[in-house]
Amino acid sequence: MALIGLVRVSTDKQNTQRQHDALDPICLKVFEEKISGKLSTDDRPALLNALSYIRDGDLLTVQEVDRLGRNLLEGLIVLNNLFQRGIGVKVLEGIAAGEHTERSLILDLALALAEDRRRDITRKTKNGLEAARARGRIGGRRPVVDDDKRAAILARRRRGESIRTIAADVKVSIGVVHKTLAEALAETQPNE
């Protein structure tokens, strides 16, 4: 019996070290993915790789059950597929901590709670953004083009410089140059 680990976080900006610290010392191999747990199994390449690597009698090991997914249905599908193949699941922390070789109420409950937490996070984020907008704050990235860069982009383009050259010299992306030029053009067009 081998322990095969699965590490998952939702975005590239999140750190996986805590999960690796728990799984690396005990697992034969650890698969990592930085992708939403609400996606279907078919849209999660690292999970698919782990499922094809794992053998009968092995245990798919996760730090917490929500690493399998934050969608109740998809989590249950993963568990059912594993259990039908004779593969168990080892959960290191949380209410479902322990080794499982068949579905249980505690596993189902842990997955349902994970989905509920995801919904709660989404709701709170939406409410926070709406509250900020009501106070006049707008979310999103700060613009990379200030007035000086905008003037430089427009002047260089009027002189006939290529978009690629402008982008390199002003130190912005080609897309930013395109967007700046499009916005300037829209400002000069009469409203219809």
Side-chain angles (χ1 to χ4, degrees), residues 30-92:
V30 176
F31 294 85
E32 177 180 313
E33 60 185 359
K34 292 189 173 188
I35 194 164
S36 174
K38 68 181 180 180
L39 297 176
S40 73
T41 304
D42 293 338
D43 295 329
R44 295 175 57 193
L47 175 59
L48 290 174
N49 289 339
L51 295 176
S52 66
Y53 181 86
I54 204 163
R55 301 290 172 247
D56 289 352
D58 290 347
L59 291 172
L60 180 63
T61 306
V62 291
Q63 187 170 20
E64 298 157 331
V65 77
D66 65 351
R67 301 302 90 198
L68 292 174
R70 285 207 164 174
N71 174 316
L72 177 60
L73 179 60
E74 290 300 326
L76 292 174
I77 289 170
V78 170
L79 288 174
N80 282 334
N81 288 342
L82 288 170
F83 296 151
Q84 287 174 0
R85 291 175 49 198
I87 299 166
V89 174
K90 182 176 180 119
V91 180
L92 301 180

Side-chain angles (χ1 to χ4, degrees), residues 16 43 75 96 111 124 137 139 184 188:
T16 59
D43 295 329
L111 285 169
K124 286 180 179 178
R137 297 196 60 206
T188 62

